[in-house]
Amino acid sequence: MKKFKVPMGVISGSSRLFLLVCFCLVVFSSCKDRKLPNNIKNIINSQANKSVILQVIDHYSEDSADSLKLRATYFLISALHNRTYLTGHNLEAFQKYPELVLRDLDHGEFIMSSLSKIYGEYHGDSLIRKSVLQEATADQLIGNIDQAFFAWEQAPWHLDYNFDEFCQYILPYTIDREIPSYNRKAVYEQFVKLLGKKPDPKMDAVSATKIINDELIRNGWVLSNRASFLPNFSAESLVKNRIGTCRDMGDLAIFVMRAVGIPVATDFVPQWPYRSIGHNWNVVIDKRGISQPFLGAEDSPGTPHKAGTKKGKVYRQTITQNQNSLAVLAGKSEPIPGFLSDPNLIDVTDVYARTFTVSLHLQKGLSTNKFVYLCVFNNKDWIPIAWARRNGDKVEFAKMEGGIVYLPAFLDKKGFIPAGHPLELDENGFVNTLNPKETEVTEMVRCNRVYPIVPEMFAMDEVKGAVIEGSNNSDFSSSKVLYRFISRGLPFEKLPSAFPKKTILGIIDICLQKINHANLQK
């Protein structure tokens, strides 16, 4: 755009009006002449703060050396325009919980109860949903883009990754529904020094992940599920407080690793197929493009994470929308269950397990819905973890792990409707329909245990002086002490080496051995 210098003091009123019109025409022409991708034009026109977005685009359009940053800007605009976060006075009050509980770890339940009494019960319906892109400032967007490129270009491993991988796994400054407060530069300066003043030029991203995550492990983490009903905590809160669920541990790792230019993501099991709840963890993408699992502040790449556990389905959170996701394909035509309403997911089950395609015939007349689900049992209810579009009375589910019992089901406004009998998918991909027949004799089965031993379920908080007893009598009129806890709050992962496996499983094993091999009445 040409610049005009005119002595305004000697211009008449009509001339000033003429120049103003000319100026507006020049500006309009300049905006119109921007060679923007069509999808970016549409997004900008839908935003009330379009001037902010255009300011960022213009910033990177002035110098051809910034062409890659301009492409990154387009990527962020496209990825963020449908992203939202939650805020509100009620939420702000409850998000004080991590900082408060760190002052008194013994009274977390009391603190959470007090917050409810002071600020009222938490209600997600009262929260305000805001657009990430709509609320962003030009300085925020430019600062994040510049710092992401700086960290990536400084990293010895940056040539191992292409631009698309950078955009997907390093560039994003938001993960889910957290309030965007990611000071990428401050996090970079805090953690990059762990890699040395002059990092080894042969260092790869996986090695760097291990170095930094070892520091996160040393700094400790307070595992707490009491605030799991809240939206994700901000980067600022996680780096400062280090308390929360496995989801929060994963978010911490993402914010820290991405800050130093390491490509990481979050993978998750929506529902374990053998117990309640699900699980989140991280992956770092190595130079071969292979996902290496780890979990922030818990275990590093190279350490098996939940090795040998059945997962059923594993999904990866992405910053971009998956156009083949259920959320996109179904739209508002049918109700969508829980996490499957998120379009920012891709199925990565085959990264973790041998998978099979399950072909089923649906019972006729049950539902006219287009989509069918496969569910697993959570010890109480059947929870959907996979979906497929039906083809008449047939349906095929892709990437299903074997060795698990599933239930096909439809979803309507009242809930789930079984679409057939439960099925067992064995380790070789063979489907065995579990069809009960009244004419067959019921087989008696003796179960020594009806719930799996899961180490993390046995973490001890207030157990000093507690005992585990066993008895041959249901009224415990005669009993024997199997194990006595002599220390308070001993984490299961730090049991003395005298215990088998150095975990709480050692205690359980000791008790089971005494039950099985000793006469408890003596």
Side-chain angles (χ1 to χ4, degrees):
M1 185 188 300
K2 293 183 179 179
K3 296 181 180 179
F4 299 92
K5 294 183 179 180
V6 181
M8 298 298 291
V10 297
I11 299 178
S12 66
S14 58
S15 298
R16 289 182 181 180
L17 178 61
F18 173 76
L19 285 176
L20 179 61
V21 171
C22 290
F23 175 77
C24 292
L25 289 174
V26 171
V27 172
F28 175 79
S29 176
S30 174
C31 295
K32 188 176 181 181
D33 288 343
R34 287 189 181 94
K35 295 180 180 180
L36 303 177
N38 288 332
N39 67 314
I40 300 300
K41 286 182 182 179
N42 294 334
I43 293 171
I44 292 175
N45 289 333
S46 68
Q47 299 291 318
N49 67 337
K50 62 177 66 178
S51 61
V52 169
I53 302 173
L54 289 173
Q55 183 180 343
V56 178
I57 292 174
D58 288 345
H59 177 79
Y60 292 120
S61 299
E62 296 175 355
D63 189 342
S64 59
D66 287 333
S67 60
L68 210 55
K69 291 184 178 180
L70 181 60
R71 286 175 58 192
T73 301
Y74 292 155
F75 175 89
L76 271 185
I77 292 171
S78 178
L80 295 180
H81 84 282
N82 282 325
R83 304 281 289 194
T84 60
Y85 65 94
L86 299 172
T87 186
H89 294 300
N90 193 247
L91 174 60
E92 291 173 4
F94 278 86
Q95 285 187 327
K96 297 176 183 177
Y97 174 78
E99 188 172 351
L100 293 173
V101 80
L102 284 178
R103 302 175 187 174
D104 188 356
L105 291 173
D106 293 330
H107 296 91
E109 190 66 35
F110 173 79
I111 293 171
M112 184 61 74
S113 176
S114 297
L115 289 173
S116 298
K117 291 178 180 179
I118 295 171
Y119 300 102
E121 292 293 334
Y122 175 83
H123 294 291
D125 295 340
S126 66
L127 299 182
I128 301 170
R129 187 177 295 274
K130 293 187 176 182
S131 165
V132 173
L133 190 58
Q134 182 68 43
E135 299 297 322
T137 66
D139 288 343
Q140 181 184 28
L141 291 171
I142 292 171
N144 271 284
I145 293 170
D146 283 349
Q147 185 61 32
F149 269 89
F150 174 78
W152 183 37
E153 291 166 353
Q154 293 296 310
W157 54 84
H158 81 276
L159 294 178
D160 295 335
Y161 303 94
N162 59 41
F163 179 70
D164 290 338
E165 290 169 322
F166 163 79
C167 287
Q168 189 65 244
Y169 298 117
I170 298 176
L171 177 64
Y173 65 90
T174 182
I175 299 174
D176 200 341
R177 298 173 298 161
E178 82 281 357
I179 296 174
S181 64
Y182 186 23
N183 189 335
R184 190 188 287 263
K185 184 177 181 181
V187 178
Y188 172 84
E189 292 174 347
Q190 180 178 347
F191 289 95
V192 74
K193 57 189 177 183
L194 297 172
L195 305 179
K197 291 183 178 180
K198 291 184 178 180
D200 185 345
K202 296 182 180 180
M203 180 184 293
D204 62 10
V206 177
S207 300
T209 300
K210 186 178 186 307
I211 292 171
I212 293 176
N213 202 47
D214 285 347
E215 178 67 12
L216 295 181
I217 294 171
R218 283 191 293 269
N219 290 337
W221 180 269
V222 178
L223 187 62
S224 173
N225 291 316
R226 290 194 182 95
S228 60
F229 59 88
L230 297 175
N232 303 53
F233 289 113
S234 67
E236 181 182 12
S237 175
L238 291 172
V239 173
K240 177 182 178 182
N241 298 315
R242 303 172 186 271
I243 180 173
T245 65
C246 58
R247 177 196 70 183
D248 302 314
M249 297 168 79
D251 286 358
L252 170 66
I254 284 184
F255 286 126
V256 172
M257 302 302 170
R258 286 181 179 174
V260 296
I262 299 175
V264 290
T266 294
D267 287 358
F268 70 97
V269 171
Q271 170 60 56
W272 290 116
Y274 61 91
R275 53 169 283 203
S276 60
I277 70 174
H279 183 52
N280 297 58
W281 64 92
N282 301 108
V283 290
V284 54
I285 313 302
D286 70 17
K287 59 185 178 183
R288 300 166 296 172
I290 297 175
S291 302
Q292 300 287 350
F294 74 102
L295 178 57
E298 183 171 292
D299 55 36
S300 296
T303 303
H305 188 71
K306 309 292 183 185
T309 56
K310 292 293 181 182
K311 299 176 175 64
K313 269 295 179 188
V314 184
Y315 293 92
R316 177 167 299 169
Q317 290 182 329
T318 61
I319 189 67
T320 52
Q321 285 195 357
N322 175 9
Q323 296 305 308
N324 293 316
S325 65
L326 175 64
V328 172
L329 296 178
K332 297 182 179 180
S333 64
E334 294 182 15
I336 301 176
F339 77 97
L340 288 172
S341 62
D342 185 355
N344 297 78
L345 302 176
I346 57 174
D347 187 342
V348 292
T349 311
D350 52 345
V351 172
Y352 295 91
R354 184 186 179 195
T355 60
F356 308 92
T357 296
V358 177
S359 301
L360 302 176
H361 281 81
L362 305 170
Q363 291 186 11
K364 296 181 179 180
L366 293 177
S367 175
T368 59
N369 284 9
K370 298 177 182 178
F371 298 96
V372 192
Y373 303 93
L374 273 188
C375 309
V376 293
F377 194 58
N378 76 340
N379 302 320
K380 181 180 179 182
D381 301 305
W382 288 95
I383 308 298
I385 63 170
W387 65 274
R389 187 194 294 269
R390 69 187 296 178
N391 181 14
D393 63 345
K394 298 179 181 179
V395 66
E396 287 190 349
F397 294 91
K399 296 185 181 180
M400 302 306 304
E401 184 179 9
I404 298 171
V405 173
Y406 300 99
L407 175 71
F410 296 108
L411 175 64
D412 65 14
K413 294 180 180 179
K414 296 181 180 180
F416 285 97
I417 304 171
H421 293 295
L423 60 98
E424 179 185 15
L425 179 65
D426 72 13
E427 299 287 1
N428 296 312
F430 178 78
V431 175
N432 176 31
T433 302
L434 304 179
N435 184 5
K437 297 180 181 179
E438 295 181 1
T439 57
E440 293 184 355
V441 178
T442 302
E443 181 180 355
M444 299 299 294
V445 177
R446 178 175 179 176
C447 297
N448 293 321
R449 181 182 294 116
V450 294
Y451 191 83
I453 292 180
V454 183
E456 61 267 26
M457 296 295 289
F458 295 93
M460 298 169 287
D461 293 322
E462 301 285 345
V463 295
K464 184 178 181 180
V467 297
I468 298 177
E469 293 184 338
S471 176
N472 288 333
N473 304 313
S474 60
D475 62 358
F476 269 69
S477 57
S478 176
S479 62
K480 185 173 182 178
V481 174
L482 301 176
Y483 188 83
R484 186 183 303 277
F485 295 92
I486 59 174
S487 60
R488 175 181 173 278
L490 190 63
F492 69 84
E493 69 269 23
K494 294 183 179 179
L495 289 172
S497 59
F499 295 126
K501 303 178 185 177
K502 298 183 181 179
T503 70
I504 190 63
L505 284 179
I507 295 175
I508 303 300
D509 285 345
I510 291 172
C511 295
L512 291 176
Q513 289 170 17
K514 291 183 177 181
I515 291 173
N516 292 331
H517 303 296
N519 185 341
L520 298 179
Q521 291 182 325
K522 290 184 179 180

